[in-house]
Amino acid sequence: MITKQIVLAARPSGMPKLDDFRFENIELDPIEEGEVLLKGLYYSVDPYMRGRMNEGKSYVPQFELDQPIEGGVLATVMESKSDLFKKGDIVLGALPWKEQIIASEKTLQKVESTVESLSYYLGVLGMTGLTAYFGLMHIGKPKAGETVVVSGAAGAVGIVVGQIAKIQGAHVIGIAGSDEKVKMLKEEFGYDEVINYKTNNDMNATIAKLCPNGVDVYFDNVGGSISDAVIQNLNFHARIALCGQISLYNSTEVPMGPRIQPMLLTRSVLMQGFIINNFQKDFPEGIAHLSKWVNEGKLKFTETIVEGFDQLPTALLGLFRGENKGKMVVKA
């Protein structure tokens, strides 16, 4: 069988370009015992993929040149030599960007469709939702009446973070990059206030005005000057969940900014970086809470779905231009 794959053609400098990817046609071998042949249905694109395009060690292996990009994929089983999966099953795994994929049964998880869209298992009921849940609940630990600020609030993780904070009884302030996103977060996802950072001339003063009692929890998806402004408004014993730094991922020079250690020290602030695999043993807890809130209508979600396997590189680059509302997913 001939299938198409997308490989890393060059390691980008700064913002990735379409030329950093290459499409190839390859022939797949017959499947062996314990393997399945899959057809990709939905492919996840995520900011962390940018770091995997660089050289050097990180918390996950880097993408190799001339080898397929890899990410979360929902797929259907076309052929099986596995006792765990049969033809027609829907599965989830960290899989290569190929239209048809041969995978070991050990790398896959069966998905039972209980929500309106299978793609939710790449989003609110997948790693996106779990990232929001554990970062906020295990590190941020919001209490009723506290103030929570979320940067990248209109992104896949940010939308979920804000709603979970509201479920906990917090006052929630979001930071996003357009008036359309501001309106969406307030009207559809329950944010109390949202700042458009692209049209705001004094983030420090605006945050101080909207958070008169200070910031108790900061869920940081962005970094850079936005985080500098939030940190200036932290309360004593505030908590920072350090989830992402998308504003810095394409920097070609070492970013410089305020020295935040004095603020963390004098206000007894906890700042903890995390990756979702830190909480792997607790995944059942997170999935149980997220599923319950979705089924109760307390947790809503939105997606930006791009049509066509060939659009995967374009969709990934769109993340860094803020073209997504919620989770960015490519439908094959």
Side-chain angles (χ1 to χ4, degrees):
M1 172 183 286
I2 302 297
T3 195
K4 186 185 292 184
Q5 67 179 11
I6 304 173
V7 305
L8 181 64
R11 297 201 184 278
S13 175
M15 178 70 76
K17 309 178 297 296
L18 290 177
D19 289 347
D20 296 324
F21 304 87
R22 185 173 66 248
F23 291 83
E24 297 178 342
N25 290 319
I26 62 165
E27 186 167 356
L28 295 177
D29 296 326
I31 62 172
E32 300 180 354
E33 290 300 319
E35 292 183 334
V36 293
L37 174 65
L38 306 172
K39 179 177 177 59
L41 300 175
Y42 292 95
Y43 297 76
S44 177
V45 293
D46 300 282
Y48 80 87
M49 291 177 167
R50 175 62 185 88
R52 295 189 69 185
M53 297 172 76
N54 295 331
E55 286 188 295
K57 293 183 178 180
S58 185
Y59 59 88
V60 286
Q62 306 306 92
F63 295 135
E64 295 184 26
L65 285 173
D66 303 315
Q67 295 298 315
I69 303 293
E70 180 187 275
V73 180
L74 267 167
T76 184
V77 176
M78 301 172 64
E79 183 182 345
S80 176
K81 287 189 177 180
S82 163
D83 293 332
L84 302 179
F85 305 105
K86 65 181 186 299
K87 184 176 180 180
D89 282 347
I90 305 298
V91 298
L92 172 65
L95 299 169
W97 281 6
K98 299 179 182 182
E99 289 187 305
Q100 285 84 28
I101 308 156
I102 293 175
S104 166
E105 63 184 11
K106 298 177 182 177
T107 64
L108 303 172
Q109 171 187 342
K110 188 175 179 180
V111 169
E112 301 290 350
S113 179
T114 59
V115 293
E116 62 183 82
S117 173
L118 283 171
S119 57
Y120 274 28
Y121 289 98
L122 293 175
V124 66
L125 297 179
M127 292 303 171
T128 295
L130 291 170
T131 297
Y133 176 84
F134 288 111
L136 184 67
M137 298 300 291
H138 283 225
I139 298 173
K141 299 180 179 178
K143 304 179 185 67
E146 289 191 324
T147 296
V148 175
V149 173
V150 185
S151 60
V157 172
I159 281 175
V160 180
V161 171
Q163 293 178 89
I164 296 175
K166 289 299 294 182
I167 291 169
Q168 305 309 307
H171 183 72
V172 185
I173 308 297
I175 302 171
S178 74
D179 289 341
E180 186 180 9
K181 291 178 179 179
V182 168
K183 182 179 179 182
M184 175 189 74
L185 289 168
K186 293 179 71 172
E187 294 184 358
E188 297 180 33
F189 298 105
Y191 271 76
D192 294 294
E193 296 290 346
V194 185
I195 305 166
N196 181 350
Y197 72 89
K198 290 185 178 178
T199 59
N200 190 281
N201 295 321
D202 192 340
M203 287 292 295
N204 193 340
T206 303
I207 293 167
K209 179 180 178 181
L210 295 179
C211 307
N213 298 317
V215 176
D216 299 293
V217 179
Y218 176 40
F219 197 104
D220 186 6
N221 289 305
V222 170
S225 58
I226 289 173
S227 292
D228 294 341
V230 178
I231 288 169
Q232 292 302 309
N233 290 278
L234 292 176
N235 269 336
F236 285 90
H237 303 291
R239 290 83 68 197
I240 302 173
L242 189 56
C243 178
Q245 298 283 282
I246 195 170
S247 72
L248 308 177
Y249 289 159
N250 295 308
S251 298
T252 56
E253 300 177 354
V254 177
M256 299 299 291
R259 310 292 184 182
I260 64 171
Q261 289 90 336
M263 177 68 74
L264 304 185
L265 172 64
T266 57
R267 298 195 181 181
S268 302
V269 173
L270 168 71
M271 180 167 69
Q272 182 176 336
F274 73 100
I275 58 172
I276 188 56
N277 286 343
N278 296 155
F279 301 99
Q280 195 159 11
K281 66 180 178 61
D282 298 315
F283 279 5
E285 170 202 331
I287 292 170
H289 280 97
L290 293 167
S291 299
K292 178 176 180 288
W293 291 330
V294 168
N295 290 331
E296 291 174 348
K298 294 179 179 178
L299 184 55
K300 301 175 184 178
F301 197 58
T302 191
E303 302 168 299
T304 300
I305 296 182
V306 178
E307 297 276 351
F309 176 81
D310 290 356
Q311 296 303 309
L312 270 163
T314 300
L316 178 59
L317 302 190
L319 288 177
F320 303 107
R321 294 189 290 265
E323 294 175 1
N324 61 305
K325 293 179 187 174
K327 177 68 180 169
M328 181 82 90
V329 175
V330 173
K331 183 178 181 181

